[in-house]
Amino acid sequence: MDPGFGVYVHWPFCKAKCPYCDFNSHVRHAPPDEARFLAAFRAEIGHMRERTGQRRTQSVFFGGGTPSLMAPATVEGILTAIDAAWPLDARAEVTLEANPTSVEAGRFRGYRAAGINRVSLGVQALDDSSLKALGRMHTAAEALQAVAIARSAFERSSFDLIYARPDQKPEDWARELERAIAEGCEHLSLYQLTIEDGTPFAALHRAGKLKTPDPDVARALWDVTQETTAAAGLPAYEISNHARCGAESRHNLLYWRYGEYAGIGPGAHGRLDTPEGRRATSTERGPEQWLGRVEADGHGLVVDEGLSRPEQADEYLIMGLRLAEGIDRHRFAALSGRDFDAIRVAALIGEGMLEERADGRLRVTPQGFPVLDAIVADLAA
Ligand SMILES: C[S@@+](CC[C@H](N)C(=O)[O-])C[C@H]1O[C@@H](n2cnc3c(N)ncnc32)[C@H](O)[C@@H]1O
Ligand code: SF4
């Protein structure tokens, strides 16, 4: 199965910084000069096109930061440049991440006209006290209104929720999740709250002022998530992503199936297949620094490294084992030049952590997902 080619575009600005977030997102007093950024996006797309040669684009993802702060005309200009470089497939999935405030929902029709056909909304929680504790700038009612507007404006939509929040009880989370599912979404991203170094949440956590659930409660929250979504016909197709059959995010599948993607904009990562082989790329993270580099050199690349085939095999393993469909052993063997250690595989299967599908693919079991990192480390060794 050819995972195809996609383009990730990073918009690095937010209205305010959420206290749990360590994404490459920045708050500025004055609005950024979108015309200048658009010119830089165009230049960097042109540079990456020279690296890849001809491609057909299966998916585009505008992530952030908060891409829903961009004017629809900026989004349209970037999509026009992508289409000129790597023509968009007629059925391409074109997603934009949006914060669910009323101001942003007001721009949804403009994004639709610009070529966006899927939105991913950062709802995060469905009760106002949790939203306040997460430092969000919207209420639950406002977020649900944005969900309704998104469903009328776009063919496809998804929303994100964060769980394993301080003091969250499994029975409350089950009810919240049922309410979310009742909104009729085809796709949900459900992330366990992680405490990221350098964030205000990390400082509060260290000071004992923010308590995340104990491991047994975290496990119960995880189990509730799997049971509730599966019962509603939205099983996990990836460790944190749930969808109705056929509604999986094609762009995210492209990452996890270890396809090829160009990363455009400040701090964007890419994996490019060039005449010299597969390359890992990333660009300057600072928005203004990135702009300066692109204006001087035509691109903001600060990392552009060849990946050996064993390194590619490891990346394929790390990405692919997140998926319910698992990995193709033949593809792993072709990349790494070796098969898995049969004794380790048998042991993991015996412990109920791993299973071999009828078609020979290896996948992590629902029981294994909470300890995925250890399984990957074991197989990669
Ligand atoms: C790039 S962010 C968000 C998009 C948008 N700016 C928003 O906040 O609505 C993607 C998602 O990552 C999740 N996320 C960010 N930081 C997290 C953390 N520390 N723990 C768990 N999930 C997190 C949130 O659910 C968020 O919607
Ligand atoms: S969670 Fe979203 S809105 Fe909040 S700071 Fe991170 S990227 Fe920005």
Side-chain angles (χ1 to χ4, degrees):
M1 167 192 347
D2 177 10
F5 175 77
V7 183
Y8 175 78
V9 180
H10 193 79
W11 185 254
F13 301 109
C14 290
K15 275 263 179 259
K17 186 84 188 173
C18 303
Y20 53 85
C21 175
D22 80 339
F23 281 82
N24 185 30
S25 63
H26 307 263
V27 179
R28 297 285 181 263
H29 293 302
D33 181 343
E34 291 197 31
R36 222 178 132 193
F37 271 91
L38 174 57
F41 279 116
R42 282 196 182 115
E44 196 168 63
I45 289 165
H47 178 83
M48 299 289 185
R49 168 65 176 80
E50 282 174 28
R51 304 292 309 281
T52 62
Q54 286 183 2
R55 295 286 188 273
R56 190 156 276 279
T57 306
Q58 266 90 48
S59 62
V60 179
F61 195 99
F62 288 87
T66 306
S68 53
L69 295 175
M70 270 192 271
T74 309
V75 171
E76 186 171 7
I78 296 171
L79 283 173
T80 303
I82 291 173
D83 190 43
W86 306 286
L88 284 162
D89 193 84
R91 294 177 49 248
E93 175 186 278
V94 186
T95 305
L96 178 118
E97 255 176 8
N99 281 24
T101 72
S102 53
V103 177
E104 287 156 294
R107 283 194 281 268
F108 285 178
R109 300 224 169 260
Y111 294 136
R112 179 69 198 97
I116 299 294
N117 55 30
R118 182 175 181 274
V119 278
S120 172
L121 290 159
V123 173
Q124 319 307 3
L126 289 181
D127 72 278
D128 289 344
S129 63
S130 299
L131 287 169
K132 206 163 164 216
L134 289 170
R136 299 294 291 182
M137 293 174 77
H138 52 84
T139 62
E142 199 178 1
L144 288 175
Q145 203 172 4
V147 169
I149 298 170
R151 287 183 53 203
S152 69
F154 301 98
E155 296 91 315
R156 300 179 58 202
S157 60
S158 171
F159 63 86
D160 296 354
L161 294 174
I162 295 180
Y163 72 102
R165 307 189 298 255
D167 300 322
Q168 195 175 29
K169 295 188 182 60
E171 53 275 23
D172 295 339
W173 170 231
R175 267 200 301 278
E176 188 174 355
L177 199 46
E178 277 159 9
R179 272 185 63 209
I181 292 166
E183 290 300 315
C185 248
E186 57 164 27
H187 188 286
L188 285 172
S189 300
L190 306 172
Y191 300 111
Q192 281 183 285
L193 177 65
T194 53
I195 303 298
E196 306 289 350
D197 281 348
T199 61
F201 267 24
L204 288 172
H205 191 247
R206 249 194 328 274
K209 293 181 181 157
L210 185 149
K211 271 189 60 151
T212 45
D214 294 333
D216 53 335
V217 178
R219 181 58 204 248
L221 288 161
W222 162 270
D223 290 342
V224 158
T225 309
Q226 309 315 311
E227 286 155 18
T228 311
T229 51
L234 286 127
Y237 68 97
E238 188 266 351
I239 190 160
S240 306
N241 283 275
H242 301 252
R244 296 202 186 282
C245 186
E248 297 86 359
S249 157
R250 291 204 282 276
H251 189 81
N252 285 340
L253 280 177
L254 188 143
Y255 291 151
W256 298 315
R257 289 176 176 161
Y258 203 41
E260 183 186 20
Y261 53 97
I264 309 291
H269 293 255
R271 289 290 178 276
L272 300 181
D273 293 321
T274 71
E276 315 99 72
R278 177 157 271 229
R279 304 197 63 88
T281 66
S282 62
T283 52
E284 162 64 47
R285 284 170 66 87
E288 292 75 19
Q289 292 82 344
W290 173 82
L291 205 50
R293 274 179 184 264
V294 179
E295 287 173 349
D297 304 329
H299 66 84
L301 286 170
V302 289
V303 175
D304 184 0
E305 294 170 351
L307 289 167
S308 69
R309 290 176 72 82
E311 283 170 339
Q312 293 176 46
D314 283 345
E315 290 197 335
Y316 174 52
L317 186 68
I318 291 167
M319 300 306 273
L321 283 182
R322 300 172 63 97
L323 287 170
E325 69 182 24
I327 58 158
D328 175 355
R329 293 176 80 145
H330 305 296
R331 188 169 165 206
F332 176 82
L335 283 171
S336 68
R338 69 174 178 99
D339 201 352
F340 293 115
D341 180 336
I343 296 173
R344 282 178 206 268
V345 171
L348 287 167
I349 291 176
E351 290 161 18
M353 298 292 160
L354 202 64
E355 63 191 13
E356 188 163 9
R357 298 195 335 177
D359 60 5
R361 294 177 74 90
L362 273 185
R363 71 168 176 206
V364 173
T365 60
Q367 197 185 330
F369 270 123
V371 290
L372 176 64
D373 290 350
I375 297 174
V376 170
D378 205 3
L379 286 174

